[in-house]
Amino acid sequence: MARWTKPAEGSWTEHYPELGTGPISLRDSVSPEFYELEREAIFRRTWLNVARVEELPRTGSYLTRELEVVGTSIIVVRDGAGQIRAFHNLCRHRGNKLVWNDFPDRETRGVCRQFTCKYHGWRYGLDGALTFVQQEGEFFDIDKDGHGLAPVHCDVWNGFVFVNFAAEPPQGLREFLGPMITGLDGYPFDRLTERYEFVAHNNSNWKIFADAFQEYYHVPGLHPQQVPPAVRNPDAGFECAHFQLDGPHRVVSTAGARRWDLPPEYMYPIERLTRSGLIGPWETPDLGELPAGVNPGGIQPWGISNFQIFPNLEILVYGGWYLLYRYWPTSHNTHRFEAYAGFHPARTVRERIEHEIAAVVLKDFALQDAGMLGGTQVALETGVVDDFPLSDQEILVRHLHKVVGDRVAEFQRVPSPAGVAS
């Protein structure tokens, strides 16, 4: 049976004394006013993941992202030099949305040699430069060099494309991620390119869903058929093996359990038949030696490490594949949940079936969590109670709400520096 120990302080929460141990408030998840502050203090000033480099495989590959939380649409494109760039999706002539197909509020993707505005025909290169103005002589000394697409700060880490809407981000991307997250350097994300994606629109604040994946305390109650005996503590339900904080980021790791050793009642019949399911395929390609950062607690046997990159990204790392979640706020009590599973490209029909089964089972369990969200949001909005006790297994919930609160409080205390976009 897997064994692990808590820190010398006796609990994970007490190991990080700045978190405190008292009840927490969840007013940050029901207040329209707080949501507006979050938009300014966090989402308009923090590095946000919007894509993977595999989505932009060649010169001229582009995609658009509709980001309600920052009130803008962006174009992400690979230019002629191979660099990935980001721009506001806005023509500099009269403000028409530049890149869209049948419906301007929907995201799109494709390949092109230049961007042409549908309204008056202005054209822009892949580097954002204005290259053509219809009837240029009718304008009054227009400076084409000064009318390129409005850029958005863009950088790439391990193939993950991030943007930042501050005029001058206070940190570069790698510095922002810090040593715990960059400890994943060397994990073969670039080889796990077979993707299974889904999107769900949820009637809850974005943090409420993030909270559901930051703790496994809920597993015995919400997913009782999936509590394997090898990691079950009969006195504590389900206990995670390792928690760690690094600045605004968090990670939780679980011990591993071999699915094929479990009794049949702990899995769906289709899992037994296909040898794939909740933890992915039972057998995965050998990816070579993995970086130590994937299992920062050194847990043996190791199962999953769930890295939560502030504010709205989670990467769940397994031995041979990974999951990605994003939570995009659309209002103070709604959000868009994006998810995908990334596998090594299937080499046989059986491997393809294993991947598809894993994706379906994972989606089913994510939707079990999502099914709780509307009820949580409605109950919180009554305001009847606002002091909620948290267990040691919910330390990351405590941390997320503290970091969000601290960022908003700092924003309110310190006037916006010159040059910071609002």
Side-chain angles (χ1 to χ4, degrees), residues 150-352:
V152 177
H153 291 282
C154 183
D155 202 353
V156 177
W157 166 75
N158 271 4
F160 295 96
V161 181
F162 286 77
V163 297
N164 191 306
F165 291 95
E168 290 297 336
Q171 295 175 295
L173 175 58
R174 192 170 183 86
E175 181 186 2
F176 165 73
L177 293 174
M180 185 178 74
I181 303 302
T182 57
L184 291 173
D185 289 349
Y187 186 81
F189 294 108
D190 59 337
R191 295 167 58 188
L192 305 177
T193 56
E194 185 177 310
R195 283 174 51 160
Y196 297 83
E197 305 177 58
F198 67 93
V199 175
H201 297 272
N202 295 291
N203 293 324
S204 74
N205 183 272
W206 66 281
K207 296 183 294 299
I208 297 299
F209 205 169
D211 288 346
F213 290 117
Q214 296 190 107
E215 51 86 6
Y216 301 146
Y217 176 61
H218 71 275
V219 169
L222 190 58
H223 316 299
Q225 73 276 39
Q226 291 292 334
V227 186
V231 294
R232 178 186 290 168
N233 180 326
D235 298 319
F238 190 104
E239 184 178 340
C240 292
H242 181 76
F243 296 93
Q244 190 168 319
L245 310 179
D246 183 15
H249 314 300
R250 303 165 298 286
V251 66
V252 54
S253 297
T254 66
R258 300 194 307 175
R259 299 295 291 169
W260 52 89
D261 288 339
L262 300 181
E265 62 266 25
Y266 287 99
M267 64 185 79
Y268 292 133
I270 193 67
E271 291 184 274
R272 299 198 304 273
L273 179 66
T274 62
R275 298 173 63 82
S276 182
L278 183 63
I279 63 166
W282 293 2
E283 298 177 10
T284 56
D286 183 6
L287 299 180
E289 185 177 356
L290 300 179
V294 303
N295 178 15
I299 304 305
Q300 295 298 333
W302 170 69
I304 312 165
S305 289
N306 179 351
F307 293 85
Q308 290 130 31
I309 301 174
F310 186 79
N312 66 329
L313 173 67
E314 295 190 23
I315 304 175
L316 291 82
V317 177
Y318 298 73
W321 63 286
Y322 77 101
L323 272 170
L324 181 141
Y325 299 150
R326 299 188 194 101
Y327 311 93
W328 291 109
T330 51
S331 75
H332 78 282
N333 59 8
T334 60
H335 75 278
R336 181 176 66 254
F337 173 60
E338 300 173 348
Y340 71 79
F343 300 100
H344 192 283
R347 299 163 297 185
T348 64
V349 172
R350 178 175 183 85
E351 283 189 355
R352 178 64 184 264

Side-chain angles (χ1 to χ4, degrees), residues 80-157:
Q83 180 180 350
I84 293 179
R85 297 174 177 264
F87 304 97
H88 288 280
N89 190 4
L90 179 99
C91 178
R92 290 294 305 276
H93 171 224
R94 291 248 301 277
N96 188 53
K97 178 170 275 190
L98 181 62
V99 180
W100 55 283
N101 289 333
D102 296 332
F103 302 97
D105 61 337
R106 297 187 185 176
E107 297 177 346
T108 187
R109 62 183 63 210
V111 181
C112 68
R113 287 185 286 185
Q114 62 184 352
F115 299 112
T116 302
C117 181
K118 294 176 173 64
Y119 200 178
H120 298 100
W122 282 32
R123 300 174 198 162
Y124 302 87
L126 301 178
D127 61 356
L130 176 61
T131 59
F132 175 79
V133 174
Q134 189 74 255
Q135 295 176 254
E136 185 175 344
E138 294 290 318
F139 287 83
F140 303 94
D141 299 320
I142 186 168
D143 174 17
K144 285 201 294 188
D145 290 341
H147 285 78
L149 298 179
V152 177
H153 291 282
C154 183
D155 202 353
V156 177
W157 166 75

